Amino acid sequence: MAYVNGNLALQPKRKPQQQEVIRETRKVVVKRKSLPMQEKLLYLFTVIICVVVAGVILSRYAQIYDMNVQIKGMNADYETMNVELEELKRQVERLSNPERIREMAELQGMVRTSDNGITVKKDNDGLSTAMRE
């Protein structure tokens, strides 16, 4: 086997340093053309139309929601009025009872007579009659 690295005479020759080659690369920049004015206006009007349509749809939904709230309120009012109406009907039946009317008339001093007039008792004097005309 040979003696490789022990003596300078036997050292392998060094390669000369390679110079770095700098390549100049050019990057191609593609400049995009801006949109023409007509196309910009077309896009603008399209966006405006979409916003208007969305606004109309949302306003209609708001009106429908408001109508539903009003309908629910009216239904609640209707139910409470029905309850009041039933109570008033019961009150009318109770107050229009002939026996009760007779008792109230007697408490106020009225007396029933056989003729068609109504007789009212006065304090100590006597009876007075109110006739139909």
Side-chain angles (χ1 to χ4, degrees):
M1 191 167 219
Y3 187 73
V4 177
N5 285 330
N7 194 350
L8 290 177
L10 296 176
Q11 271 189 349
K13 293 183 181 178
R14 289 187 180 174
K15 294 181 182 176
Q17 284 186 343
Q18 294 179 356
Q19 291 182 352
E20 292 184 18
V21 178
I22 298 175
R23 284 190 185 171
E24 198 172 305
T25 58
R26 291 185 181 182
K27 198 170 194 181
V28 178
V29 177
V30 179
K31 226 179 182 185
R32 294 182 62 177
K33 290 182 179 179
S34 65
L35 294 174
M37 185 61 76
Q38 292 173 344
E39 198 168 344
K40 286 181 185 178
L41 288 175
L42 177 68
Y43 291 149
L44 177 68
F45 287 131
T46 303
V47 168
I48 288 173
I49 288 173
C50 290
V51 167
V52 167
V53 168
V56 168
I57 290 172
L58 288 176
S59 68
R60 292 298 292 163
Y61 275 115
Q63 288 175 349
I64 290 170
Y65 177 77
D66 189 40
M67 287 170 124
N68 284 336
V69 168
Q70 288 177 356
I71 288 171
K72 286 181 182 179
M74 286 182 175
N75 284 340
D77 291 343
Y78 176 75
E79 292 299 323
T80 56
M81 286 184 188
N82 275 341
V83 169
E84 287 179 24
L85 180 66
E86 290 299 320
E87 180 63 31
L88 291 174
K89 282 182 182 178
R90 276 188 243 124
Q91 226 175 15
V92 165
E93 288 177 14
R94 184 174 52 90
L95 293 176
S96 64
N97 184 3
E99 189 62 37
R100 183 191 164 282
I101 294 173
R102 188 175 302 118
E103 289 174 6
M104 292 298 291
E106 289 174 358
L107 286 175
Q108 292 178 2
M110 296 182 188
V111 180
R112 184 179 176 118
T113 61
S114 58
D115 56 354
N116 288 339
I118 299 173
T119 306
V120 178
K121 286 185 187 178
K122 289 192 176 182
D123 290 335
N124 290 333
D125 293 343
L127 297 177
S128 153
T129 304
M131 298 295 285
R132 283 191 208 171
E133 293 186 59

